[in-house]
Amino acid sequence: MAQSEVRGEAPAAGDTMSLKPQASDASAGTGRRKGGRRADGPKTDRRRRRRRALRWSAIVLAVLIVGTAGAGYLYYQHLNGNIQKGRRNSADDSKAHRTQPNAAGQTPLNILLIGSDSRNSAENVKLGGSRDHRGDPPLGDVQMLIHLSADRKSASMVSIPRDTRVDIPRCTDPETGKVYPAVNDIINVSLARGGAGCTLATWQNLTGVYIDHWMTIDFSGVVRMADAIGGVEVCVRQNVWDHPTASVPGGSGLRMTAGTHKVKGEQALQWLRTRHAWGSDLMRARAQHMYLNSMMRTLRQQNVFTDTGRLMNLAEAATKSLKVSEEIGTVKKLYDLGMQLKSVPSDRITSLTMPNLTDPLDSNHVVPDKANADKVWQMLQDDVPFDKNGKDSGAKKPAPGKPAGKPSVEPGRLGVLVQNATRTATEGPVPQRARAIGQALAQQGYVRATADTSGTLSEDRTVVRYPSADLRGDAQAVAKALGIPLNAVKQSTDVSGVTVVVGADWRTGTTYPEQAAPKAGDLPQGSDAVNGSDTTKCMDVYNIYRW
């Protein structure tokens, strides 16, 4: 072949027939032939060498790009392979509903962080104590809901103490298929009754907050993450040593002098697990909040993306340490989550512990302080910031419900079932509550309203349920008759007809009470709130653990 067939490619060095002289070459004296070959001048030689060098540079660069991209892809796949995943929800039902979007179409994001006490590895046994517990189902000793506002400009973190007695729903273990019946027990056992998906369902049913994702981390994961970050600053007011005593066995082993320290590795785990030295499990939650706030400040100050080695270490640690719900089980999705969290200013992050009371059935346990806890849950549902340092996110309050439909029958012909769901963890059901509301309905013309006598239920909020779209108008009319807002009218396959479920928010009276809308920063008493920008907080040490 006398000439290259590749468009734009220079002729081969020996392809003399394809080198046609140009007019400019003749006038410059560089295009003449000697002995049948072209005699090029020094400028042409330099141009040819430059073209050849550029061509080889382009080839080498292309090889490097492809090779690097291939290695990057393989590393990305390696990181994805590190991540353990599980089913988001392992319960049969949920009482939670998503918060309505704001004017920009944004919705809040809720992530449940669970610290597992699993000892099912040599590493965890070494870090977490007794070998006798190796093989036992893990317990969720740390449980914290992270709420990102719809506009991603504020964040709230809420802990529930591990010894809080709650209703745990019926759950199915997604790995074994074992079914666990509903039970009233302390919340940390929910992890052993169907995995993180059961803990998520327990939280949803308790709070009414829809939870998008869960993440779990065990002892060894905490150590890896603390090391990858480079340490987290914490503070104690007195010298502390959390060690066994004559009356109280166990202890985390945390030992440090008064003041501020940067903890990493095993010492970070000791800080998060310390309970006795702080005086109670509630104070342990405060120490955990302080740690997380400090960690977020540290990450905001660091720019790991300019340090390839640190970025890789952090990526390795994170993907090896976390087990996540399957819908966020990729590096990209975890990275996006991290960037959203990192973008929140420190003074717009507020952490607190669920307001609680001593359990009347067991002084070693606690139960939700219903009125104050409900206020916290309402703020999360309505996307109301825990702080007063910025504007409202713009998220809407609960939607007004679907437009009123036309009832299918006259009130006197409609069968309505009324259920008593006023029982709470601290209070028994209000006697004859379903009967009283049924009578109120009868006075409004719903003479076929009857009270369900099969037993009492537990619902935080009153709701009117209906089974199919043709009964929506009837259900809305029943709600209107009782003063119940339309956003509390829900379609559900759990009922066979229009059903009024009288919740714990309506224990007296026959007209549904109006609910006051919560305001930003208006936190209830007993929440022990800590702002993320507060660097002055230090933990007080219980007397017998000072040295």
Side-chain angles (χ1 to χ4, degrees), residues 179-207:
V179 177
Y180 294 88
V183 67
N184 184 259
D185 205 339
I186 58 175
I187 197 167
N188 77 330
V189 306
S190 61
L191 188 63
R193 299 177 63 85
C198 190
T199 302
L200 179 144
T202 302
W203 270 75
Q204 286 197 155
N205 287 358
L206 174 67
T207 67

Side-chain angles (χ1 to χ4, degrees), residues 197-516:
C198 190
T199 302
L200 179 144
T202 302
W203 270 75
Q204 286 197 155
N205 287 358
L206 174 67
T207 67
V209 176
Y210 182 89
I211 301 175
D212 300 274
H213 317 299
W214 55 256
M215 298 180 178
T216 66
I217 187 168
D218 59 16
F219 295 156
S220 57
V222 170
V223 171
R224 281 194 294 267
M225 287 296 293
D227 285 344
I229 293 167
V232 176
E233 282 194 351
V234 297
C235 178
V236 288
R237 295 192 191 281
Q238 304 87 18
N239 296 351
V240 59
W241 182 21
D242 192 49
H243 64 287
T245 67
S247 57
V248 182
S252 71
L254 179 69
R255 186 183 177 102
M256 63 172 58
T257 56
T260 300
H261 299 266
K262 181 173 282 190
V263 296
K264 58 194 300 188
E266 187 173 352
Q267 193 175 38
L269 177 64
Q270 290 172 338
W271 176 274
L272 293 170
R273 296 190 66 215
T274 294
R275 175 175 48 157
H276 304 313
W278 309 143
S280 70
D281 196 45
L282 305 181
M283 290 299 98
R284 177 167 73 166
R286 178 190 292 183
Q288 291 165 352
H289 294 159
M290 290 165 59
Y291 179 94
L292 284 176
N293 286 338
S294 179
M295 183 180 73
M296 288 184 177
R297 289 194 300 268
T298 300
L299 287 172
R300 282 178 59 83
Q301 294 164 0
Q302 295 176 346
N303 191 2
V304 297
F305 305 103
T306 61
D307 186 336
T308 305
R310 289 204 58 213
L311 176 60
M312 292 175 68
N313 288 340
L314 189 58
E316 284 285 350
T319 55
K320 286 181 178 178
S321 302
L322 295 171
K323 182 175 181 179
V324 302
S325 50
E326 56 196 358
E327 69 285 344
I328 54 168
T330 68
V331 173
K332 183 182 184 307
K333 290 179 180 178
L334 290 176
Y335 172 84
D336 290 342
L337 277 178
M339 289 300 97
Q340 292 180 64
L341 279 168
K342 188 180 178 183
S343 68
V344 179
S346 296
D347 68 343
R348 300 300 315 277
I349 301 172
T350 306
S351 53
L352 57 80
T353 300
M354 177 195 72
N356 56 84
L357 302 168
T358 301
D359 185 352
L361 302 182
D362 187 337
S363 60
N364 294 313
H365 300 159
V366 297
V367 291
D369 177 359
K370 183 164 176 52
N372 288 321
D374 281 354
K375 186 174 183 180
V376 172
W377 311 145
Q378 185 68 53
M379 293 178 78
L380 293 175
Q381 291 173 30
D382 294 351
D383 198 27
V384 177
F386 282 6
D387 68 279
K388 298 180 180 180
N389 300 327
K391 296 181 180 179
D392 191 282
S393 72
K396 298 176 183 177
K397 294 175 183 177
K402 295 180 180 179
K406 184 178 180 181
S408 63
V409 296
E410 295 295 321
R413 297 175 56 198
L414 181 69
V416 181
L417 184 67
V418 184
Q419 295 178 327
N420 184 352
T422 55
R423 179 175 63 83
T424 72
T426 57
E427 299 176 289
V430 178
Q432 301 296 314
R433 190 70 183 131
R435 185 168 178 268
I437 300 303
Q439 290 175 344
L441 276 173
Q443 292 174 5
Q444 297 284 335
Y446 293 93
V447 294
R448 297 185 64 187
T450 58
D452 184 357
T453 59
S454 62
T456 57
L457 307 172
S458 177
E459 294 270 2
D460 286 337
R461 297 189 181 185
T462 298
V463 64
V464 180
R465 297 191 172 109
Y466 61 96
S468 54
D470 60 306
L471 288 173
R472 178 168 64 86
D474 301 287
Q476 290 176 330
V478 168
K480 183 177 179 180
L482 294 170
I484 300 171
L486 289 185
N487 60 58
V489 179
K490 311 288 184 184
Q491 186 170 347
S492 171
T493 57
D494 293 337
V495 296
S496 57
V498 175
T499 303
V500 178
V501 184
V502 185
D505 59 343
W506 192 14
R507 293 175 67 86
T508 61
T510 54
T511 299
Y512 186 73
E514 290 188 13
Q515 306 295 313

Side-chain angles (χ1 to χ4, degrees), residues 40-185:
D40 293 324
K43 289 185 178 180
T44 302
D45 290 339
R46 284 197 297 271
R47 282 198 296 268
R48 181 179 295 138
R49 285 195 298 269
R50 190 179 299 117
R51 285 197 301 268
R52 190 177 295 127
L54 287 173
R55 182 169 62 187
W56 279 107
S57 296
I59 293 171
V60 171
L61 181 60
V63 170
L64 286 173
I65 290 173
V66 172
T68 303
Y73 175 76
L74 291 175
Y75 186 63
Y76 179 78
Q77 292 299 96
H78 160 73
L79 293 177
N80 278 335
N82 285 344
I83 302 171
Q84 299 181 68
K85 299 179 282 290
R87 189 182 303 170
R88 175 188 160 273
N89 188 346
S90 57
D92 297 331
D93 64 347
S94 174
K95 301 173 184 175
H97 300 278
R98 291 181 184 273
T99 301
Q100 295 296 311
N102 62 14
Q106 301 165 307
T107 55
L109 182 66
N110 296 299
I111 307 162
L112 183 62
L113 179 62
I114 306 168
S116 163
D117 75 345
S118 170
R119 293 172 174 85
N120 293 333
S121 72
E123 189 177 7
N124 279 334
V125 168
K126 180 181 177 181
L127 293 168
S130 177
R131 292 180 176 82
D132 296 340
H133 293 287
R134 184 161 185 171
D136 290 354
L139 302 176
D141 276 0
V142 179
Q143 298 183 26
M144 186 181 302
L145 183 66
I146 301 172
H147 171 91
L148 270 172
S149 64
D151 61 6
R152 302 301 189 262
K153 293 182 178 178
S154 70
S156 308
M157 298 189 292
V158 182
S159 290
I160 293 181
R162 68 173 189 172
D163 292 332
T164 303
R165 182 167 59 84
V166 297
D167 289 327
I168 300 173
R170 180 178 182 268
C171 294
T172 303
D173 190 309
E175 296 182 5
T176 66
K178 182 176 180 179
V179 177
Y180 294 88
V183 67
N184 184 259
D185 205 339

